[in-house]
Amino acid sequence: MSVKSVILTVLAAVAMILPAETEAQMPIKVYSRLQLPPDSADISHYGKEHFWRAAGEVFGFNIGLWAFDRYVQHGDWAYINFNTIKENFKHGFKWDNDNLNTNMFLHPYNGSLYYNAARANGFNYWKSGLFSIAGSAMWELFMECEYPSTNDIIATPIGGMCIGEVCFRASDLVLDDRVGGAERVGREISGFLLSPMRGVTRLITGDAWRRRPTSGKIFGLPNIAVELSLGTRMLDYHHDRSHVKFGGAMELNVEYGDRFELKSKKPYDYFTFNASLNFMKTQPVLSHLEIKGRLIGRELLEEKDCHLSIGLFQHFDFFDSDTISSGLVPYKLGIPASLGGGVFYRDIERRHWVFDAYAHANAVILGSVLSDYYMVDDRNYNFASGFSLKGGANMVFDNDRYSFSLSHEYYRLFTWQGYHRNTNLDDADYKTLNAQGDKSVASFNVTQFRADMKLCKRLYLTLLLDHYLRSTHYRDFPHVKSTTLSAKLMLTYKL
């Protein structure tokens, strides 16, 4: 997926929600309306499982992607034959050395395509995950002449389920089988951008142009709140001295569903989505992506002005920066596979102010964090596992005129499979080197303060301050500690 595609997908996500007259409970959104349930006719029509069609789409996608890599890109990894397949099975899995964006974002995104091939053919969240595993295994074992990747077989299906369900539900918001003409074309294109495999399925079945008496929304119309912010960003990295970059920035925040409404127990009936884009020289376009999706939940307290709920959540975390000065990189963190418990609390006092807070504790199955010493092929980070803690609080005053929020995220990651002490990485064969990276223990902290002031209806002035603190203790190298400050001044449109 190219940078251009990322931008198009984000813009499509904004466009899809503009027609929806729904509200949810983000800090600035105090009140919410009741969601509209799906029509039984839509569930009956789109809920039937079609195994062979789903499997054919997964197989066809892998063949098509391989053909593009082989005959268009001429990638050396795509020159496969029976001998390369035999070697893949003989050698087994290893940690690969692709860059962070490829391993921690693009592979999970590919996993979301496998996932949505099944989702669009009637399978639920859990069953669709099996198709994502199968698609990833097929690619790793058969479709490349490089040895199969340990990190990819974990990140692709698990991260793919997370991104895939968000994209599938986003496409469900924009699609409408009742309309025709230019509006129908626009909705189908937007739905395709958000969930390509659902778009392919609709083309195969004819649902892309077939008009029906019901909308086709299998999730109905949920509560949803959207914030789109545009403005400037300053990035200040401290290493011996200050290194500063300036540029443009964009943020998209989405809250889907009701964090305190637990009548439905389907995965991702409630989730939050945050994406940050850079328009800054030497920095990646996608700088931050974070998803928290509720798998199961329970309400502990429901009173007129006080609510408390708990749940099991799936997390996807991605923080990326690049060279800021003289080869210095501020931070990198990717966690496509993380799971843990979360709790939400809200207190409303006479509608003049609202306070809400949350906390999460997660196990990190697979993560990655910037390394100061491991630089092999395209990789400058260590694979790891560990845990994370997240918490935050929001305050809204004067009927949404002012709002303030403070959050902190702590990641503790352990790289347990290092390379041999005497290994010279400059001479190592990256195709056979099998290491998570430098044997180490890393801590990564992200603290954010946000303030919003209402300028006029739905338009706000936003100040965002982010502080990144990275500290890594290496077995074979000196301890490294660094800090980075990010400041954004933006205009925010809240739907």
Side-chain angles (χ1 to χ4, degrees), residues 367-401:
S368 57
V369 65
L370 179 69
S371 170
D372 301 279
Y373 305 103
Y374 188 93
M375 298 180 186
V376 177
D377 195 25
D378 294 326
R379 178 151 73 99
N380 59 348
Y381 58 90
N382 296 324
F383 291 113
S385 55
F387 65 91
S388 67
L389 303 172
K390 304 179 182 181
N394 309 288
M395 289 288 294
V396 180
F397 298 94
D398 196 14
N399 293 324
D400 85 2
R401 185 175 297 275

Side-chain angles (χ1 to χ4, degrees), residues 1 11 70 90 92 101-102 116 129 221 228 254 264 283 289 318 331 337-338 353 369 386 414 418 427 440 456 458:
M1 188 181 188
L11 292 178
R70 166 66 176 83
K90 181 179 178 180
N101 185 64
T102 297
N116 274 333
L221 191 60
L228 177 64
V254 178
S264 176
Q283 293 301 302
L289 176 63
F318 181 84
Y331 57 84
S338 180
W353 59 268
V369 65
F414 302 85
D427 297 331
S440 58
C456 58
R458 299 187 181 276

Side-chain angles (χ1 to χ4, degrees), residues 16-17 22-32 166 173 222-228 252-261 268-275 290 292 294 309 313 344-346 356-358 360 394 495:
M16 72 171 181
I17 294 172
T22 56
E23 297 182 359
Q25 58 290 329
M26 298 180 78
I28 204 69
K29 286 287 189 183
V30 179
Y31 310 111
S32 61
V166 168
L173 285 169
N223 294 317
I224 187 165
V226 182
E227 299 176 344
L228 177 64
L252 176 65
N253 290 287
V254 178
E255 185 175 30
Y256 178 105
D258 191 329
R259 69 185 76 163
F260 299 106
E261 177 56 59
Y268 282 75
D269 275 349
Y270 173 78
F271 68 81
T272 59
F273 173 95
N274 172 256
E290 188 167 5
K292 302 184 188 81
R294 188 176 65 200
S309 67
F313 287 79
F344 289 100
Y345 173 79
R346 171 186 285 163
D356 65 78
Y358 64 90
H360 294 271
N394 309 288
L495 285 83

Side-chain angles (χ1 to χ4, degrees), residues 58-84:
V58 171
F59 181 84
F61 172 76
N62 273 342
I63 295 297
L65 183 59
W66 166 79
F68 177 82
D69 290 342
R70 166 66 176 83
Y71 297 106
V72 179
Q73 287 195 319
H74 302 289
D76 54 4
W77 65 88
Y79 286 78
I80 60 174
N81 53 47
F82 286 111
N83 287 330
T84 64

Side-chain angles (χ1 to χ4, degrees), residues 157-196:
I158 299 179
M161 292 172 71
C162 184
I163 295 176
E165 185 66 16
V166 168
C167 291
F168 187 76
R169 286 178 177 261
S171 68
D172 200 65
L173 285 169
V174 68
L175 294 172
D176 193 335
D177 292 347
R178 297 168 298 184
V179 302
E183 180 182 353
R184 180 62 174 267
V185 173
R187 287 179 176 273
E188 292 294 332
I189 291 175
S190 296
F192 189 97
L193 287 172
L194 289 161
S195 181

Side-chain angles (χ1 to χ4, degrees), residues 249-316:
M250 181 174 113
E251 290 224 355
L252 176 65
N253 290 287
V254 178
E255 185 175 30
Y256 178 105
D258 191 329
R259 69 185 76 163
F260 299 106
E261 177 56 59
L262 302 175
K263 292 180 180 178
S264 176
K265 298 182 180 179
K266 294 180 180 178
Y268 282 75
D269 275 349
Y270 173 78
F271 68 81
T272 59
F273 173 95
N274 172 256
S276 299
L277 302 182
N278 275 323
F279 304 101
M280 186 184 299
K281 189 176 180 181
T282 76
Q283 293 301 302
V285 173
L286 181 63
S287 65
H288 176 219
L289 176 63
E290 188 167 5
I291 300 170
K292 302 184 188 81
R294 188 176 65 200
L295 301 179
I296 56 175
R298 181 179 180 183
E299 196 168 52
L300 296 181
L301 178 65
E302 182 182 11
E303 296 182 357
K304 181 179 180 181
D305 296 329
C306 188
H307 304 271
L308 180 68
S309 67
I310 61 172
L312 179 67
F313 287 79
Q314 182 181 12
H315 292 247
F316 185 99

Side-chain angles (χ1 to χ4, degrees), residues 23 81 85 87 106-107 124 253 283 328 355 362 435 460:
E23 297 182 359
N81 53 47
I85 295 172
E87 282 299 310
L106 291 182
H107 276 290
N124 64 19
N253 290 287
Q283 293 301 302
L328 298 175
F355 171 81
N362 311 303
Y460 296 77

